[in-house]
Amino acid sequence: LVGASLGGAISIILAAESPELVENLVLIDAQGFIDGKESDISDGAAKFGVSVLKSQPLRYYANIISYYDKKYSTWEAMRIGRLHCFTDSWERASIDFVKSGGFIVSDKVSQVKQKTLVLWGKQDNILDVSTTKKFQKSLLRNEIIIIDKCGHVPHIEKPIETAEYIL
């Protein structure tokens, strides 16, 4: 099972809670140690926050800081990166996610018993490379690989190198 970024959090939960479904785990610049907390924020305030998340300026900024090699930070990449924001259920699901506190995964990381490969872009500006040390301490069976001259999305910036490590 391979999970990148927030998908890494989902992968951690699945590996910990349903180990019979996951033989090996690969985490790529994965979110594993930022736990949210339930909020009593109003739907209106949450809806405003979600609209900011969907905005072109914020998405373009996130696009720029995602990559070490800025040739990948294109307008088209930003547009593709926000396509999911226009699905019918995205706004309601995002409001519910914000109010629920999101994924609480830090307590699940140490429950992962599968062999786990942790790949990280050395120049990740979204989730700092120091996060790998937390994974190294928390995961029973792990291998940490740091990819130089790479940001938050090694599978895009360094796809061949990333694939070789996974395979």
Side-chain angles (χ1 to χ4, degrees), residues 22-71:
V22 180
E23 185 176 345
N24 295 303
L25 183 60
V26 178
L27 300 174
I28 302 175
D29 295 72
Q31 195 290 93
F33 298 98
I34 303 170
D35 291 338
K37 61 180 181 177
E38 197 170 325
S39 172
D40 60 359
I41 187 173
S42 71
D43 275 9
K47 186 173 182 174
F48 174 75
V50 165
S51 72
V52 171
L53 287 176
K54 182 179 182 176
S55 72
Q56 285 186 356
L58 182 79
R59 288 290 172 165
Y60 196 68
Y61 175 71
N63 184 40
I64 290 169
I65 66 171
S66 292
Y67 301 103
Y68 170 80
D69 185 343
K70 300 307 179 201
K71 77 178 181 187

Side-chain angles (χ1 to χ4, degrees), residues 1-4 7-16 18 21-28 114-117 166:
L1 177 63
V2 179
I10 296 167
S11 298
I12 290 165
I13 292 169
L14 182 63
S18 300
L21 299 177
V22 180
E23 185 176 345
N24 295 303
L25 183 60
V26 178
L27 300 174
I28 302 175
Q114 298 86 340
K115 182 179 174 186
T116 304
L117 172 63
I166 293 171

Side-chain angles (χ1 to χ4, degrees), residues 64-110:
I64 290 169
I65 66 171
S66 292
Y67 301 103
Y68 170 80
D69 185 343
K70 300 307 179 201
K71 77 178 181 187
Y72 295 103
S73 298
T74 65
W75 187 255
E76 292 79 16
M78 181 277 299
R79 290 179 61 214
I80 291 166
R82 70 191 280 260
L83 278 175
H84 66 283
C85 300
F86 299 99
T87 60
D88 292 338
S89 60
W90 182 81
E91 184 175 284
R92 182 73 249 164
S94 295
I95 289 168
D96 291 345
F97 185 79
V98 167
K99 293 178 79 166
S100 75
F103 292 118
I104 312 293
V105 292
S106 64
D107 62 332
K108 301 282 184 196
V109 177
S110 63

Side-chain angles (χ1 to χ4, degrees), residues 95-155:
I95 289 168
D96 291 345
F97 185 79
V98 167
K99 293 178 79 166
S100 75
F103 292 118
I104 312 293
V105 292
S106 64
D107 62 332
K108 301 282 184 196
V109 177
S110 63
Q111 296 174 30
V112 172
K113 304 303 181 211
Q114 298 86 340
K115 182 179 174 186
T116 304
L117 172 63
V118 178
L119 293 173
W120 219 273
K122 186 175 184 179
Q123 289 78 22
D124 186 339
N125 289 315
I126 308 272
L127 295 170
D128 192 78
V129 69
S130 64
T131 305
T132 59
K133 292 177 182 164
K134 293 179 182 178
F135 279 115
Q136 194 164 35
K137 287 180 184 176
S138 299
L139 291 167
L140 180 64
R141 301 168 54 208
N142 68 76
E143 179 181 2
I144 309 291
I145 296 175
I146 311 296
I147 302 174
D148 196 21
K149 296 182 180 163
C150 188
H152 187 64
V153 282
H155 47 291

